[in-house]
Amino acid sequence: MSDPADLKRTPLHAEHVRLGGKMIGFGGWDMPVQYTGIMDEHRAVRTALGVFDISHMGQFFAKGTGAAAWLNGVLTNNVNKLAPGHGQYTLMLNERGGVIDDLIIYRIADAEWLLVVNAAKIGEDFAWLSPRVPAGVTLENRSDEFFGLAVQGPRAAEWFGKFTGGKTVPVRNGVAQIEVGGVPLIVCRTGYTGEDGVELFGPGSNAVAVLNAVLAAGGEFGIKPCGLGARDTLRMEMCYPLNGNDLSPERTPIEAGLGFFVDLEKGDFTGRAVLAEQKAAGVKQRLAAFKMIGATPPPRSHYGVWKDGAQIGETCSGGLSPTLGCGIGLAYLPVEFAKPGTAIEIDIRGRRFPAQVEKKPLHRGGTAG
Amino acid sequence: MNVPDDLRYAKSHEWLRADGTVGITDHAQHELTDVVFVDLPAVGKVVKAGEVVCVVESVKAASDIYAPASGKVVATNPGLTANPALVNTDPYGEGWMFKLELANPAERDALQDAAAYSAATGA
């Protein structure tokens, strides 16, 4: 465990403590894992509304008329599909096709792009991209300037009307620059929970005021401050990968089941050759979702996965699903065992418990649409 | 934080009653929150003070439970199989975990009393 003194703090740190947050180290940051409890916060997001501090995430801005062509060469998805005001999930790969980071890119103006990257990868991502920036394109790491809040849940659209005094919420995956209470916010209709919602980015000095305005507007919709614990259980139910757990420089997006976010037709990009070959020849392993059967301890990361008396893999994410009431997880498995319905076993402290490979996502009926 | 006077307390946050019953403290359940599974020990298991006896799982993590004193496990709480959240709602009562037949009752006296445990946890 990291020494709290070495951890970075978001502009909302004191608010988390005031709101009763239990603080832990995550990706180099001192963040709330929970306030009232993970189950409680998870339920709030699935049934009403929750707000998460995502100020630790990184913001890069790319500008210039050549930015689109350059971004298409370093990311897997096709940015030319984006009209201004739209965003997409995409991945940044190494030459072997392995994942450096997964991120969302938004086209905030014709020749201006916002990349929102994982907290623990800000330095590594920027160090990877910077030397590759061509003449005529600028790339800025402005992560320290921004706070971020994710407001997520089925009541998000109603809440947004109240919070902004009736402004229109961007379309799904859309982005807009909206002033709320005199604060300029970048509003993104995206999230990591499977529910409707927005992600807000604004100047760090306004973070506390905006959080309190978000909470005040959310009171009538049952809003709850939520920590990283619920963020993890919510994303696991949706089978959204967590970089570092489910994605790694040794695994490609094809193996991770993220082929939908890879455009092999758009022209060359870093890692493309490996992905094209995998797509043609097929992969040996694939990231599969599974569900425990009956009353078992919840699975965690790095537990052995077994089939017919032999180990066939290892879990990369695992935990209890508050919605399903059973253990769930993700594991890279040989493709012949990665099919939904396959019976497997998970080794938990030397005892093997029954589980079954399931279709993704594990939770259906979320309001993210 | 609730710290009953009639119990003794290990630094690892287990309580021990005079009859050998063991559970985790109110402070510990509050820190863990949302207990979702208790991997109870086998009856008959012999443990030394400070050894891992069983594991309690919260939504977030698995945590080891240590024997506050040496002895043999003579009973476990069947109620926790159906309702592990009893550890949260009644940590000193219905949420008990197992009962030890103490090998050396003097070990119990060496544990912290309620005042010392309260002071140590800032309760």
Side-chain angles (χ1 to χ4, degrees), chain A residues 34 38-39 296 300 349 351, chain B residues 33-34 39 57-59 61:
Chain A
Q34 61 177 53
I38 295 172
M39 300 282 242
T296 77
R300 312 283 180 192
R349 294 183 286 277
R351 260 194 299 162
Chain B
T33 74
D34 295 337
D39 220 344
E57 301 259 12
S58 68
V59 182

Side-chain angles (χ1 to χ4, degrees), chain B:
Chain B
M1 215 58 70
N2 182 10
V3 184
D5 283 331
D6 61 330
L7 304 175
R8 289 293 180 134
Y9 299 89
K11 288 201 169 70
S12 46
H13 308 288
E14 295 82 10
W15 55 260
L16 175 62
R17 187 167 283 135
D19 68 358
T21 307
V22 177
I24 64 167
T25 66
D26 192 26
H27 172 76
Q29 73 75 21
H30 186 79
E31 286 297 308
L32 292 173
T33 74
D34 295 337
V35 170
V36 295
F37 195 91
V38 183
D39 220 344
L40 292 165
V43 170
K45 182 172 180 160
V46 176
V47 290
K48 285 207 182 84
E51 277 181 359
V52 174
V53 187
C54 64
V55 172
V56 56
E57 301 259 12
S58 68
V59 182
K60 192 66 193 160
S63 306
D64 290 333
I65 302 301
Y66 301 92
S70 308
K72 186 168 83 176
V73 176
V74 292
T76 60
N77 182 356
L80 295 183
T81 308
N83 188 7
L86 289 171
V87 175
N88 295 118
T89 54
D90 192 8
Y92 300 112
E94 295 295 309
W96 68 278
M97 290 186 178
F98 53 89
K99 194 169 170 180
L100 289 174
E101 187 180 276
L102 297 183
N104 177 9
E107 283 180 355
R108 184 174 184 273
D109 302 326
L111 295 169
Q112 300 171 98
D113 62 14
Y117 182 72
S118 295
T121 55

Side-chain angles (χ1 to χ4, degrees), chain A residues 3-363:
Chain A
D3 182 346
D6 298 335
L7 296 171
K8 292 180 79 171
R9 293 179 168 196
T10 78
L12 294 167
H13 190 274
E15 288 304 283
H16 298 317
V17 173
R18 187 180 68 78
L19 291 165
K22 192 187 296 291
M23 308 303 285
I24 59 155
F26 173 82
W29 293 79
D30 197 27
M31 298 296 289
V33 62
Q34 61 177 53
Y35 301 84
T36 54
I38 295 172
M39 300 282 242
D40 220 29
E41 294 162 27
H42 183 105
R43 257 190 303 270
V45 173
R46 285 272 178 262
T47 61
L49 202 57
V51 56
F52 303 81
D53 180 8
I54 55 167
S55 304
H56 56 317
M57 297 190 78
Q59 291 80 23
F60 299 166
F61 288 79
K63 283 182 204 173
T65 48
W70 173 62
L71 289 164
N72 257 352
V74 290
L75 301 172
T76 60
N77 211 333
N78 188 351
V79 299
N80 288 326
K81 287 180 187 163
L82 298 176
H86 292 264
Q88 69 189 187
Y89 177 76
T90 188
L91 298 114
M92 191 166 94
L93 309 182
N94 58 33
E95 271 99 9
R96 291 167 288 133
V99 176
I100 298 172
D101 205 1
D102 62 333
L103 58 124
I104 299 184
I105 183 164
Y106 304 93
R107 188 170 202 168
I108 50 180
D110 191 45
E112 191 174 348
W113 307 79
L114 165 63
L115 290 75
V116 178
V117 306
N118 281 300
K121 295 285 174 180
I122 294 171
E124 191 182 331
D125 290 359
F126 197 70
W128 174 263
L129 289 173
S130 293
R132 292 173 167 77
V133 175
V137 176
T138 60
L139 181 74
E140 271 186 292
N141 174 7
R142 295 176 58 192
S143 306
D144 289 343
E145 290 172 41
F146 286 91
F147 79 87
L149 288 172
V151 185
Q152 304 275 305
R155 309 292 305 268
E158 292 167 88
W159 161 84
F160 190 81
K162 171 117 186 173
F163 171 65
T164 60
K167 294 208 168 94
T168 308
V169 65
V171 297
R172 183 72 198 153
N173 290 325
V175 61
Q177 305 194 52
I178 297 175
E179 201 173 284
V180 180
V183 179
L185 296 176
I186 301 173
V187 179
C188 309
R189 187 88 175 269
T190 42
Y192 193 47
T193 62
E195 301 301 332
D196 190 12
V198 297
E199 294 173 299
L200 310 172
F201 302 105
S205 55
N206 298 117
V208 173
V210 174
L211 173 62
N212 286 303
V214 164
L215 288 170
E220 66 186 275
F221 307 114
I223 197 167
K224 268 184 173 283
C226 299
L228 293 177
R231 193 164 165 78
D232 195 44
T233 52
L234 288 157
R235 70 95 194 166
M236 261 195 282
E237 288 183 345
M238 296 308 294
C239 303
Y240 294 154
L242 172 63
N243 195 9
N245 277 37
D246 313 305
L247 304 177
S248 90
E250 314 307 323
R251 299 285 187 183
T252 73
I254 307 293
E255 293 169 296
L258 301 170
F260 183 77
F261 307 100
V262 174
D263 186 344
L264 292 173
E265 311 304 319
K266 68 174 177 172
D268 197 25
F269 61 89
T270 310
R272 185 190 176 280
V274 177
L275 270 50
E277 194 191 312
Q278 282 190 341
K279 198 138 189 200
V283 289
K284 291 195 178 66
Q285 297 204 324
R286 192 174 274 283
L287 186 62
F290 66 86
K291 215 157 90 173
M292 304 301 297
I293 296 166
T296 77
R300 312 283 180 192
S301 306
H302 307 300
Y303 285 4
V305 181
W306 291 67
K307 173 81 185 169
D308 301 331
Q311 188 171 351
I312 56 167
E314 194 183 85
T315 57
C316 37
S317 282
L320 181 101
S321 160
T323 308
L324 303 174
C326 65
I328 58 171
L330 294 166
Y332 283 94
L333 299 180
V335 284
E336 63 268 34
F337 301 128
K339 291 187 194 73
T342 307
I344 55 173
E345 291 173 304
I346 309 297
D347 182 328
I348 303 178
R349 294 183 286 277
R351 260 194 299 162
R352 298 210 287 269
F353 292 90
Q356 182 173 300
V357 176
E358 297 283 335
K359 221 175 146 206
K360 297 186 220 177
L362 291 162
H363 170 66

